[in-house]
């Protein structure tokens, strides 16, 4: 019996559905025409960073829902990836932006940016697709590494080691020493063989290279292994628990109550 090869539709402004450049899924795309507001004369673009963000000002918002929404918006802006946010206060826009468009994936909600017919964000060349559950700031490093993989495999590997460090911090580790962070994650359920694989690409162990540091020994093969390892760690520690939680939440309430009662008895017996 022959296996069915999944259809692949390359991203294109001529398609309403294609394989998303973010998550890789063949999914319908929502297209946006872009409008722009003019800044005041001599006003420069503003980029919000963790250092420039006054979190205390938002913490002072009295309404809890408004405060939560403001903090979530600020965190998404600080992460740096383009996204869509509807601002209801703006009722009139002066200019349209031509020869540039934006598409949003119905599967992962992430946006792609196009100039003429060229995809300009994200661009990762022939690098592996990222795990769609990667946090935004880790995904940015992953994407940048993909863009420079063939031009600078050493630079790509340095970015991916940094991505692993950030991923460890997101997973509740200290994010300062990858060796100890990965050892801790192994105790929490990460496959011990991943620690061995990270040693092969000099992320942990006696020959570890500091995150973000260029190693003259790195080549395309090393970087490609690091891409895979970022995805493997994310799958084991984020995606799989997420899928299991979704399966459990899909059970009827009675079944979940019975499981909770059973587990409660087991704990009491212990």
């Amino acid at each position: 019996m022959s296996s069915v090869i999944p259809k692949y539709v390359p991203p294109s402004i001529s398609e309403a559905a294609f394989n998303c450049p973010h998550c890789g899924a063949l999914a319908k795309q929502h297209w946006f025409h872009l409008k722009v507001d003019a800044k005041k004369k001599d006003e420069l673009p503003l980029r919000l960073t963790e250092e420039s963000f006054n979190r205390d000002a938002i913490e002072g918002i009295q309404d809890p829902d408004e405060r939560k929404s403001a903090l979530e918006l600020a965190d998404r802006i600080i992460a740096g990836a383009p996204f869509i946010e509807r601002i209801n206060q703006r009722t009139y826009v002066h200019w349209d932006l031509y020869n540039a468009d934006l598409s949003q994936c119905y599967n992962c909600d992430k946006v792609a940016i196009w100039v003429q017919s060229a995809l300009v964000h994200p661009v990762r060349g022939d690098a592996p697709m990222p795990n769609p559950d990667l946090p935004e700031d880790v995904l940015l490093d992953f994407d940048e590494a993909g863009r420079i993989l063939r031009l600078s495999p050493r630079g790509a590997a340095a970015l991916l080691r940094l991505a692993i460090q950030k991923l460890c911090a997101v997973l509740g580790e200290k994010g300062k020493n990858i060796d100890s962070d990965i050892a801790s994650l192994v105790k929490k359920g990460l496959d011990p063989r991943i620690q061995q694989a990270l040693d092969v690409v000099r992320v942990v162990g006696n020959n570890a290279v500091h995150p973000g540091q260029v190693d003259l020994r790195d080549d395309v093969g090393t970087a490609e292994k690091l891409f895979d390892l970022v995805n493997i760690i994310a799958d084991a520690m984020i995606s799989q628990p997420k899928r299991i939680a979704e399966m459990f939440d899909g059970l009827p309430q009675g079944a979940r109550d019975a499981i909770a009662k059973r587990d409660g008895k087991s704990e009491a017996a212990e």
Side-chain angles (χ1 to χ4, degrees), residues 248 251-266:
F248 182 81
L251 291 173
Q253 185 61 50
R256 283 186 284 165
D257 291 343
I259 292 171
K261 184 176 180 181
R262 180 204 67 193
D263 292 345
K265 286 182 178 180
S266 298

Side-chain angles (χ1 to χ4, degrees), residues 15 19 34 41-42 52 55 65 67 70 72 79 111 140 143 156 175 181 186 206 214 225 254:
E15 300 287 348
N19 286 81
L34 302 178
K41 186 178 180 180
D42 297 328
S52 65
R55 198 168 289 271
D65 291 334
R67 181 172 62 252
E72 288 176 350
V111 300
L140 287 173
D143 282 343
D181 285 349
V186 167
N206 294 331
V214 172
K225 291 183 180 71

Side-chain angles (χ1 to χ4, degrees), residues 5-23:
I5 300 175
K7 181 181 180 182
Y8 176 77
V9 179
S12 168
I13 62 168
S14 301
E15 300 287 348
F18 50 73
N19 286 81
C20 173
H22 286 287
C23 68

Side-chain angles (χ1 to χ4, degrees), residues 42-105:
D42 297 328
E43 183 181 4
L44 298 175
L46 176 64
R47 289 292 178 266
L48 189 63
T49 65
E50 191 64 55
E51 292 73 22
S52 65
F53 175 45
N54 184 1
R55 198 168 289 271
D56 292 338
I58 292 183
E59 294 287 359
I61 298 174
Q62 296 299 315
D63 183 86
D65 291 334
E66 184 181 347
R67 181 172 62 252
K68 182 173 180 285
S69 296
L71 285 170
E72 288 176 350
L73 176 60
D75 286 338
R76 292 188 73 189
I77 295 172
I78 290 170
F83 65 95
I84 300 171
E85 185 73 13
R86 181 167 182 160
I87 307 296
N88 292 327
Q89 294 90 334
R90 296 183 181 179
T91 58
Y92 186 77
V93 177
H94 291 283
W95 293 279
D96 288 338
L97 179 62
Y98 289 95
N99 291 326
D101 298 278
L102 185 148
S103 60
Q104 183 178 35
C105 174

Side-chain angles (χ1 to χ4, degrees), residues 128-142:
M129 293 296 298
N131 182 308
D133 292 322
L134 282 174
E136 289 286 356
D137 58 340
V138 177
L139 181 60
L140 287 173
D141 290 336
F142 193 103

